[in-house]
Amino acid sequence: MDRRVLKSQAAIKNALIELMAEKNFDDITIQDIADRADVNRGTIYLHYEDKFDLLDKLIEEHIDMLQKLCEDIADMSFTDGEWVWFDYFEKNYLFFSTMLESKGAPYFRTRFLQLVIEELKGEVDAAEEKNQGLSKDVVIHFFGAAIIGIVEWWVSNGMPYPPREVAEQVGKLLDRNF
């Protein structure tokens, strides 16, 4: 793809995230995004149907990247794998903090939780002693919600611990239970 197109798309995506950090998604207009990205409205419409399509594509881009990271870390320990994720969260802090704190993007949290649950499915063994008598679905949803909760807490509080430290603690908790 042409570098100018990539540069315009990146500016548009960054503009949307910045605006969502400042105000409600419903109050953001295409003109607001164009002004912030320093592009014409027409440029936005060349790539996206509307602001909802832009948001959906931005969310799917990050979900796809997290899925790719999951594939890359499949053979790692929980701690090392979590470090890769928390490093990604840190590098994309504005996106994650905005999406997890924004009332205009509940779809992101739902997609993020779905991804975590899918990744945990292969890790739970309901026949294992520590999970005996527990529903696999309950265990998976419990830990999925816990992981999302930790990420929300971490980014909402300005990342009070370095990614490696949080990853080690989350990894230890997962090791104890899987």
Side-chain angles (χ1 to χ4, degrees), residues 1-13 47:
M1 192 181 293
D2 186 333
R3 286 177 20 176
R4 290 174 296 174
V5 170
L6 292 173
K7 188 175 179 181
S8 292
Q9 286 179 336
I12 292 166
K13 291 172 190 173
H47 305 290

Side-chain angles (χ1 to χ4, degrees), residues 48-65:
Y48 310 100
E49 292 176 25
D50 53 27
K51 69 180 185 178
F52 300 99
D53 182 46
L54 168 57
L55 179 60
D56 288 346
K57 287 182 176 162
L58 182 60
I59 288 169
E60 287 308 312
E61 183 179 297
H62 283 279
I63 294 295
D64 290 346
M65 187 59 195

Side-chain angles (χ1 to χ4, degrees), residues 75-148:
D75 295 330
M76 290 183 181
S77 69
F78 279 124
T79 299
D80 290 338
E82 289 298 317
W83 182 81
V84 171
W85 268 42
F86 278 91
D87 184 56
Y88 183 76
F89 299 146
E90 180 186 46
K91 288 177 181 165
N92 294 279
Y93 172 76
L94 184 59
F95 171 81
F96 285 98
S97 64
T98 301
M99 291 299 117
L100 291 170
E101 293 175 9
S102 172
K103 290 178 177 52
Y107 174 71
F108 172 74
R109 190 178 192 289
T110 300
R111 286 288 291 123
F112 190 23
L113 181 58
Q114 287 172 343
L115 170 67
V116 172
I117 287 169
E118 280 303 310
E119 292 304 317
L120 289 175
K121 279 184 180 178
E123 302 295 332
V124 175
D125 181 359
E128 197 173 305
E129 184 179 320
K130 57 187 156 196
N131 293 323
Q132 231 172 15
L134 298 176
S135 162
K136 183 174 181 176
D137 287 333
V138 171
V139 173
I140 290 168
H141 282 82
F142 178 83
F143 281 100
I147 290 169
I148 299 302

Side-chain angles (χ1 to χ4, degrees), residues 153-167:
W153 166 82
W154 188 64
V155 298
S156 296
N157 287 288
M159 301 181 298
Y161 301 100
R164 174 65 84 182
E165 188 174 332
V166 177

Side-chain angles (χ1 to χ4, degrees), residues 24-38:
N24 191 314
F25 179 75
D26 291 337
D27 297 332
I28 298 171
T29 66
I30 290 293
Q31 190 61 54
D32 291 335
I33 299 167
D35 291 345
R36 180 68 60 100
D38 197 23

